[in-house]
Amino acid sequence: MYRDICGACIGGSEESRREALEQIVKSAKSKHQNKQLLAFISESVRLNVLQARMGNLLNLMRIVKTLVNSTSIPPDYHLFDIILSCITCCVGEYAFKDTSNEDLHWQVREFSSMQLFNICEKYEPHCKYLTDFILDEIDQTFKSWLDCPVGQTSISRLAGIYGILFCFKKFGFKRLHQFVFPRMPKLCEHLNANLEGRYIITFKRCDTLAVLNEIKLKAVFNKVLGYMMRALAVPLMEYRYMRLLPVSKGAFNVDYGRMGNFLYMNNDEYEDKQKRELKYEKGIKKLELQDSY
């Protein structure tokens, strides 16, 4: 039965998905069935992450949300198994295969992060140090990300840092202060490699795959950069005030390199810059097409 429920939730029929989620709520008292369903979800998450099936992952996280909101999951290994599945969706190093499911990719990371937060709110009174366990797991991923050589940032690794930052932000300023901001110089050292021309799109006709990878990498980097400016720039400034660190543009450039210009820049300036870059790229593409005739 739980296999049918998951199949309906993952399938393309919205009506079947709604009926399956209602069935989960109705059978909330069946702990045995819920355990089987949780085990099946965990295995499905691992499989769909490997195959980068974003729609399936998002629907699996919807099942998790329904279970968390409507049932009482025993605080045993089943709960921790589903937590690890959410962490995988949130911070795992996987990327979308094509631009058509790019939005779904970010939704999966954001939605799974929200489920981790909801799980902590519901089960923290019954399972001591649950929040610390979850954040420590994410922090280990963050540390391994920072320990990799600078300049070897793949699309999947760059997408993973978005999930890490989003999750820490979801848990509040205290967690940003604890896990992210002290390591911001190291994080910016990695991101600065993307700003130094290493991944500039060249549009070489001889290697279409390389061009597509460069386009995808730049799109992911812009997503990470935009989120950092929109969600982390102001808390970062507050953090520096609290630590009695200078908050001038020059100080940002010293501590964060070229990323300091973006973290200090307000969002309106960034959007104007993005529009100018988009016009420039369209102009380059147009010239390339003209040259091909």
Side-chain angles (χ1 to χ4, degrees):
M1 180 179 179
Y2 59 88
R3 187 183 297 271
D4 294 335
I5 290 175
C6 281
C9 290
I10 293 174
S13 173
E14 187 63 35
E15 183 178 354
S16 298
R17 185 179 300 119
R18 179 177 53 79
E19 292 176 355
L21 293 176
E22 289 176 355
Q23 181 63 34
I24 293 174
V25 176
K26 291 178 181 178
S27 61
K29 295 181 180 180
S30 176
K31 293 184 179 180
H32 175 69
Q33 179 176 308
N34 287 338
K35 288 182 178 181
Q36 290 181 320
L37 182 58
L38 290 171
F40 189 79
I41 290 171
S42 300
E43 187 61 32
S44 298
V45 165
R46 284 190 284 269
L47 177 63
N48 284 283
V49 162
L50 290 174
Q51 299 180 357
R53 295 178 177 175
M54 301 304 157
N56 290 357
L57 288 173
L58 184 59
N59 287 324
L60 287 167
M61 288 298 102
R62 286 172 178 164
I63 302 176
V64 171
K65 179 183 178 181
T66 302
L67 284 169
V68 171
N69 292 342
S70 61
T71 71
S72 180
I73 305 172
D76 54 14
Y77 68 92
H78 293 286
L79 175 61
F80 287 96
D81 202 25
I82 209 67
I83 286 172
L84 293 178
S85 296
C86 291
I87 291 176
T88 299
C89 288
C90 180
V91 305
E93 293 186 6
Y94 62 92
F96 47 90
K97 292 183 178 180
D98 54 71
T99 55
S100 62
N101 62 2
E102 180 180 353
D103 290 339
L104 276 177
H105 173 257
W106 304 120
Q107 288 178 36
V108 168
R109 293 189 183 275
E110 294 170 2
F111 195 75
S112 56
S113 175
M114 294 174 187
Q115 300 324 304
L116 288 172
F117 183 77
N118 292 337
I119 288 172
C120 288
E121 282 199 325
K122 183 171 183 178
Y123 292 100
E124 182 74 26
H126 311 289
C127 192
K128 197 174 182 181
Y129 305 122
L130 179 62
T131 301
D132 291 337
F133 166 77
I134 291 175
L135 294 178
D136 283 343
E137 287 292 319
I138 296 173
D139 186 49
Q140 290 300 317
T141 304
F142 190 29
K143 287 179 181 177
S144 64
W145 196 97
L146 294 175
D147 289 339
C148 288
V150 175
Q152 296 184 8
T153 305
S154 63
I155 296 173
S156 58
R157 290 192 66 244
L158 196 56
I161 201 63
Y162 176 87
I164 291 171
L165 296 176
F166 188 93
C167 190
F168 282 136
K169 177 66 167 59
K170 183 66 181 176
F171 279 84
F173 176 76
K174 177 182 176 181
R175 303 304 181 176
L176 291 174
H177 186 288
Q178 179 181 357
F179 295 106
V180 178
F181 293 150
R183 300 174 185 149
M184 186 63 79
K186 183 67 174 178
L187 172 60
C188 288
E189 184 180 352
H190 284 269
L191 297 178
N192 281 331
N194 294 69
L195 293 171
E196 293 171 356
R198 188 181 299 272
Y199 301 114
I200 294 177
I201 299 176
T202 56
F203 297 103
K204 294 180 180 179
R205 302 187 199 94
C206 58
D207 195 347
T208 305
L209 182 60
V211 171
L212 291 175
N213 285 335
E214 288 176 352
I215 292 173
K216 287 167 63 176
L217 182 58
K218 186 170 184 180
V220 173
F221 176 76
N222 285 339
K223 181 72 175 182
V224 174
L225 180 60
Y227 180 75
M228 290 180 67
M229 293 178 60
R230 184 175 64 256
L232 302 184
V234 174
L236 176 60
M237 190 165 289
E238 293 175 358
Y239 166 80
R240 293 180 68 91
Y241 270 120
M242 292 173 60
R243 297 295 299 271
L244 302 180
L245 297 172
V247 293
S248 65
K249 190 171 184 178
F252 270 61
N253 290 336
V254 170
D255 292 341
Y256 309 126
R258 293 187 64 188
M259 281 293 298
N261 293 323
F262 293 91
L263 293 173
Y264 192 80
M265 186 189 304
N266 63 52
N267 197 52
D268 291 336
E269 292 175 331
Y270 173 70
E271 289 181 352
D272 290 340
K273 186 175 185 298
Q274 285 289 85
K275 290 177 182 178
R276 292 196 301 270
E277 289 183 352
L278 184 60
K279 289 181 180 179
Y280 175 76
E281 289 181 10
K282 286 182 178 179
I284 293 293
K285 290 180 181 179
K286 187 176 181 180
L287 289 175
E288 287 289 331
L289 289 173
Q290 290 176 352
D291 291 342
S292 63
Y293 290 108

